Amino acid sequence: MEVTKLESAGAMPEIEVIFGSPEFGKYQLTLWDNTGHNPVQIGSGVNKDNLPDKFSIGNLGTLNGRLLSWEVIIAAFNTEPGSSYSVTIKITQDSEVAENGEFEYTGSIDGVALVADSVELQVQ
Amino acid sequence: MIKRSLLSLFWAGCLWLTSFSQSFPSRNTSLLSAAQQSVAVNTEASLIVISNALPKVTSFSDGTSSFVEIIVSREPDLQFAHLGQGFELQRVEKANGNWVIVIKLQPQTRLRLEQDSTSDHHVVKLLFVVAGSVGNGAREIAPALVRENQNPIPPPQANVALGAAGERLATPPRPAGQTGSMPVRNSATEGELKEATLDLSVPESPAFTVLGLTPQTVVRPTSPRELVAALLNGVDANGNLQTGVALETAPFLLWHHKNFTLEKYRNDRLAQILTRTQISLATAKGTGENDKSVRVGLGIHTTLLDKGDPRLDTDLTDCFDKYLNFPKRNDGESLQEYQARFKAQFKEYKTLAENCRQEAKKRNWNRTSLVLGFAPSWISPKGELNDLGWNGGALWTSFAYGFEQSESLRKIAQLIVHLRYRSDEMVPKPEMQNQFFKQDSLFIGGRLRLGGPDFAASIEGSTIRSKPEGKVSDMSYRISFGAERRIASDTWFQVSFGGEGGRADSKNKPFVLASFKYAFSKTPTLAPPGTN
């Protein structure tokens, strides 16, 4: 599992979901304990609205060792061959991308595409 | 006369319906054995192609005879019945890694097609029926009966040169083109196919169409780097053009695939056009066996207006949002377990999303749209990049009007006007192998279509002006009416009639065609998509 490093002296970290292709997208963001249990949803949304897809992850003091996960559903409006998707997850602190805090997923869509991934947060 | 013909066909259809359960392979039995049994009891001439790869079936004409070509990537099992009655086997050969079977239809022979698949085998059954006899209810291989999700008969984009024969239903658009060694293809067999509906669509890959190709593999780059690599593969280090290149891409998305959001799309009219503009590129060898020339086609397909654009359909977005939901978390479930369960729902999500898209198609099938296609082509006699010369081109445009202003028509009616122009097209000379002449042609066609769950009708007309090089121009027209009505859940009664005139070959004639149809899908032929 990837490890994203956060500065203990920094501001409260945030996570942002960016859909880079004009297809339908829906996501949820979850914080887990360091064993991968006891989930707490910290955000969810779709790309059909104008609402920001950026959420606070939580207080730095409680984040060290915890797991942060995201699941994304992308649905193509058309099903012609060659349709592709792009989703980027950014974990930021003080408006800067945290170390090892950017994750990009691209590929072709077979009607729908699913993304599921997670990182361990390390506060240093 | 017409009434008598219809009554005869109606009676024949009834007889056929009563024996239907005996002659049609059961879905629950082994496909292989069902096909074999069917041959055993069938007195019609037939050819069965069985393979564990999906066969691709196309039909074409060389101007005098009609042919069927079956291409399959694995060695097929061929079973004949009454070879020589209605058809001749022209060749079976392995070419470019595929098995190619070419069949020539004898005059006055109708071709019917059955297809089915299991997880292990794909079966294509061709039935050859001498005109006047009654078939056993298989699907006729006519463009009008080509349906979505069935093995495609390519649209006859080259048929401008040969008349209005064999044009297929305009919707839905599908990748176009033909395949094989002959440079100009007509997807229609003669006779009954002339009664088929017109093809009023713009080919999605004009480059393939202008060269008369159906590429087995199309390269679709997903990044600018891949595009450049694909282009470089088209020319070797010495500047020699490579044949067999088939490339298709939407360049705008290629360069903006990481930062072009749905919101930007919805708010930017120009971006909508650019997003729906596709470029295609293809190369093919010359027309003769020892011909070293290489032909190059470049195609542009763009949608300038589409009031049924699914990306602008907020109901479709809402449908996705409503049905594509994340699974609920179970007590004590770990992150890994949850994400594994989420990924396992892929097929379910795919089905749900497809249902939403189908609903959107029902809503938007007839919305006003304007589509344009353009494809110049070049030829290099020596196959070199630096001696490319003009080799003609093609232009297609279709305007569809959806009667959005009329409450009574906006859900059931569509008017399509289509124009296509082809310059310097290489057309096979009748009865002369590998002999061609150049021709310019202009096709203008239109269709008014009305459709409902149990009834569909269309009226259409077209005119073609062709100008062979060094000869006087020829102009012909065609008008037809077609209707079909559901008489049982899977059975439709179809009737069409019309006529053509002005043909230089004096083959003008009226036609009447009536038939029953049992379709693999439960959709009508004439009706627009989504109205059943």
Side-chain angles (χ1 to χ4, degrees):
Chain A
M1 185 178 291
E2 299 277 350
V3 176
T4 297
K5 294 180 179 175
L6 301 170
E7 295 290 337
S8 59
M12 190 181 287
E14 295 178 313
I15 181 168
E16 183 178 13
V17 182
I18 302 160
F19 291 95
S21 57
E23 309 295 352
F24 172 82
K26 188 173 189 174
Y27 62 90
Q28 66 176 11
L29 310 164
T30 312
L31 198 58
W32 307 69
D33 66 19
N34 55 5
T35 67
H37 290 86
N38 301 312
V40 177
Q41 185 167 302
I42 60 170
S44 64
V46 291
N47 66 342
K48 68 172 186 173
D49 51 32
N50 293 323
L51 300 174
D53 299 306
K54 198 170 188 177
F55 300 86
S56 171
I57 298 174
N59 289 322
L60 278 168
T62 64
L63 294 180
N64 193 30
R66 295 184 73 177
L67 309 181
L68 177 63
S69 73
W70 47 88
E71 291 88 34
V72 185
I73 303 169
I74 301 115
F77 286 101
N78 297 299
T79 52
E80 292 99 1
S83 296
S84 62
Y85 70 92
S86 168
V87 182
T88 303
I89 307 289
K90 279 186 184 175
I91 299 170
T92 57
Q93 194 177 24
D94 294 316
S95 302
E96 297 285 329
V97 176
E99 185 181 336
N100 201 20
E102 183 166 337
F103 304 88
E104 187 180 302
Y105 308 89
T106 59
S108 57
I109 309 180
D110 181 16
V112 296
L114 303 181
V115 172
D117 208 349
S118 58
V119 290
E120 181 186 334
L121 301 174
Q122 193 176 89
V123 181
Q124 53 187 17
Chain B
M1 172 66 180
I2 292 172
K3 193 175 178 182
R4 190 179 301 166
S5 301
L6 288 175
L7 281 172
S8 301
L9 281 164
F10 181 86
W11 180 242
C14 290
L15 286 173
W16 164 69
L17 281 172
T18 58
S19 62
F20 180 79
S21 60
Q22 297 170 12
S23 62
F24 210 78
S26 165
R27 297 272 178 179
N28 297 325
T29 59
S30 157
L31 192 60
L32 198 63
S33 60
Q36 289 165 337
Q37 285 166 11
S38 186
V39 165
V41 298
N42 196 345
T43 56
E44 291 175 337
S46 64
L47 164 63
I48 297 178
V49 181
I50 303 164
S51 173
N52 55 5
L54 184 65
K56 178 175 262 186
V57 184
T58 59
S59 60
F60 60 94
S61 169
D62 67 355
T64 55
S65 299
S66 298
F67 299 83
V68 176
E69 183 180 73
I70 302 157
I71 300 175
V72 60
S73 60
R74 305 276 172 77
E75 184 174 3
D77 178 18
L78 302 180
Q79 299 177 9
F80 298 97
H82 304 284
L83 180 63
Q85 293 181 18
F87 74 105
E88 299 165 16
L89 187 63
Q90 288 278 296
R91 61 190 165 95
V92 178
E93 64 182 21
K94 194 171 185 183
N96 299 323
N98 290 318
W99 287 86
V100 180
I101 305 135
V102 178
I103 294 147
K104 181 181 178 183
L105 270 66
Q106 293 173 350
Q108 305 301 315
T109 300
R110 287 182 175 183
L111 176 61
R112 295 171 184 274
L113 176 66
E114 286 180 359
Q115 289 173 268
D116 216 333
S117 300
T118 67
S119 57
D120 299 318
H121 290 89
H122 300 276
V123 175
V124 173
K125 186 157 79 168
L126 303 166
L127 301 171
F128 304 92
V129 185
V130 176
S133 65
V134 178
N136 68 352
R139 185 168 68 93
E140 293 187 3
I141 188 169
L145 303 180
V146 173
R147 303 214 53 82
E148 196 172 19
N149 299 329
Q150 292 180 349
N151 217 9
I153 308 300
Q157 301 299 340
N159 64 2
V160 178
L162 303 172
E167 286 154 316
R168 67 165 175 77
L169 210 61
T171 55
R174 65 183 69 235
Q178 296 81 28
T179 186
S181 56
M182 293 203 175
V184 178
R185 291 289 170 97
N186 183 338
S187 77
T189 52
E190 292 183 5
E192 68 201 88
L193 301 197
K194 287 173 182 170
E195 287 82 48
T197 42
L198 295 169
D199 176 10
L200 303 179
S201 65
V202 175
E204 292 198 345
S205 307
F208 307 159
T209 304
V210 80
L211 296 185
L213 303 172
T214 301
Q216 298 290 312
T217 305
V218 178
V219 176
R220 295 186 174 89
T222 56
S223 68
R225 180 178 292 190
E226 284 182 27
L227 174 63
V228 171
L231 289 172
L232 289 175
N233 283 339
V235 184
D236 71 11
N238 299 319
N240 296 313
L241 290 161
Q242 305 298 297
T243 58
V245 173
L247 187 149
E248 188 178 58
T249 186
F252 183 79
L253 285 180
L254 208 60
W255 264 269
H256 294 86
H257 72 287
K258 291 180 183 175
N259 57 4
F260 186 55
T261 64
L262 183 61
E263 186 186 351
K264 285 181 185 173
Y265 180 89
R266 287 180 167 172
N267 295 323
D268 189 337
R269 184 77 189 85
L270 178 61
Q272 290 167 19
I273 295 172
L274 293 173
T275 299
R276 300 185 68 181
T277 298
Q278 287 186 305
I279 307 284
S280 50
L281 178 70
T283 63
K285 70 182 287 289
T287 53
E289 282 184 15
N290 299 318
D291 193 344
K292 290 184 178 177
S293 66
V294 175
R295 297 173 297 139
V296 180
L298 175 67
I300 297 170
H301 178 285
T302 185
T303 302
L304 299 172
L305 169 70
D306 185 3
K307 291 190 175 179
D309 185 345
R311 287 189 176 94
L312 303 180
D313 183 354
T314 53
D315 288 342
L316 175 56
T317 315
D318 289 344
C319 184
F320 284 151
D321 190 18
K322 182 178 178 182
Y323 292 104
L324 301 179
N325 293 308
F326 297 99
K328 288 184 178 173
R329 296 184 182 88
N330 297 326
D331 289 342
E333 190 175 36
S334 71
L335 167 59
Q336 287 78 11
E337 289 166 342
Y338 177 76
Q339 290 197 332
R341 197 157 55 83
F342 167 65
K343 288 178 181 175
Q345 289 195 191
F346 176 78
K347 280 188 177 177
E348 188 182 334
Y349 286 133
K350 196 174 169 182
T351 303
L352 291 167
E354 183 57 25
N355 290 344
C356 289
R357 283 189 286 266
Q358 290 302 323
E359 286 299 314
K361 274 188 181 176
K362 287 181 185 178
R363 284 192 301 275
N364 301 324
W365 72 269
N366 64 339
R367 294 283 86 90
T368 295
S369 66
L370 176 61
V371 185
L372 183 70
F374 176 63
S377 73
W378 299 268
I379 189 166
S380 165
K382 296 177 183 173
E384 295 171 359
L385 184 62
N386 57 10
D387 70 344
L388 279 172
W390 177 248
N391 191 39
L395 172 74
W396 301 260
T397 183
S398 282
F399 173 71
Y401 177 61
F403 297 92
E404 284 90 350
Q405 312 304 321
S406 168
E407 190 61 35
S408 57
L409 292 176
R410 67 186 178 89
K411 288 186 177 176
I412 63 164
Q414 183 187 48
L415 175 69
I416 300 175
V417 179
H418 176 82
L419 178 147
R420 60 178 180 254
Y421 176 73
R422 187 79 193 264
S423 75
D424 294 340
E425 182 181 19
M426 298 298 289
V427 180
K429 288 183 179 176
E431 299 177 13
M432 297 181 77
Q433 201 169 8
N434 291 331
Q435 298 278 316
F436 301 88
F437 63 91
K438 277 188 178 180
Q439 179 174 265
D440 296 343
S441 55
L442 174 67
F443 171 92
I444 300 172
R447 177 191 304 130
L448 176 63
R449 190 164 55 185
L450 302 166
D454 299 314
F455 177 78
S458 72
I459 182 166
E460 58 188 27
S462 64
T463 180
I464 296 172
R465 182 182 181 277
S466 53
K467 173 71 175 70
E469 192 176 55
K471 294 183 179 178
V472 295
S473 61
D474 181 24
M475 191 165 178
S476 63
Y477 62 87
R478 174 186 187 274
I479 188 162
S480 67
F481 172 81
E484 61 183 3
R485 182 168 182 78
R486 189 197 296 267
I487 56 175
S489 63
D490 289 345
T491 308
W492 290 77
F493 180 71
Q494 300 175 332
V495 61
S496 63
F497 57 86
E500 54 193 6
R503 290 174 59 133
D505 58 7
S506 302
K507 289 182 179 176
N508 304 318
K509 62 177 182 180
F511 59 80
V512 175
L513 181 71
S515 63
F516 285 93
K517 181 190 71 160
Y518 179 91
F520 290 119
S521 62
K522 297 182 178 181
T523 53
T525 298
L526 295 172
T531 54
N532 58 314

